[in-house]
Amino acid sequence: MEEQPNLDYFNQIASGDEGIVNTLITILKDEFPEQLENYNKCISDSNYKLAAEALHKLKHKIGLLGLEKGYIVANEYENNLRDNNLQNKNEFEAILKNITNFIKKL
């Protein structure tokens, strides 16, 4: 079964404070789409070095959403992009789609 994003880490650092969780969710909803768009633009422009930088920011969101395996995939793909190698692209982009769907439901 595929890893599913969750808010466990948000709840942990908020110590049960719903206001803090909601603030973190708002930040996620604001930042993730912008970072995703930046990543997609860099990939479509074949600017893999900048794509790696954009991915680096997305990678942190992957970790915050409890996707441990996804974080590993993102890290490998980031290193590949720095070498102009697209290995792990499809797997990484499936993770991004999963997160996008999760965020839409928040």
Side-chain angles (χ1 to χ4, degrees):
M1 181 176 168
E2 181 179 312
E3 255 184 334
Q4 293 301 312
N6 61 70
L7 298 177
D8 293 351
Y9 185 71
F10 287 19
N11 289 318
Q12 180 184 352
I13 61 174
S15 298
D17 186 327
E18 197 171 309
I20 293 174
V21 172
N22 289 333
T23 299
L24 294 171
I25 290 171
T26 299
I27 293 167
L28 177 69
K29 285 181 169 183
D30 288 344
E31 290 182 358
F32 184 81
E34 292 173 9
Q35 292 170 350
L36 176 59
E37 183 178 336
N38 185 36
Y39 162 79
N40 286 328
K41 182 178 181 336
C42 293
I43 290 296
S44 69
D45 292 345
S46 299
N47 190 336
Y48 302 136
K49 302 282 189 225
L50 280 180
E53 291 176 22
L55 182 154
H56 186 80
K57 293 177 182 178
L58 288 165
K59 181 174 71 172
H60 294 296
K61 305 284 187 299
I62 291 168
L64 290 173
L65 292 171
L67 301 171
E68 294 175 21
K69 293 176 186 172
Y71 186 88
I72 292 168
V73 169
N75 197 52
E76 289 172 2
Y77 181 45
E78 179 183 2
N79 291 330
N80 290 340
L81 280 174
R82 293 187 192 287
D83 294 329
N84 294 316
N85 177 342
L86 294 177
Q87 186 176 350
N88 299 99
K89 178 181 185 288
N90 292 338
E91 194 175 359
F92 176 72
E93 290 181 358
I95 294 164
L96 296 179
K97 182 174 176 130
N98 192 13
I99 291 172
T100 298
N101 292 335
F102 176 75
I103 290 173
K104 285 179 184 176
K105 295 175 186 172
L106 292 177

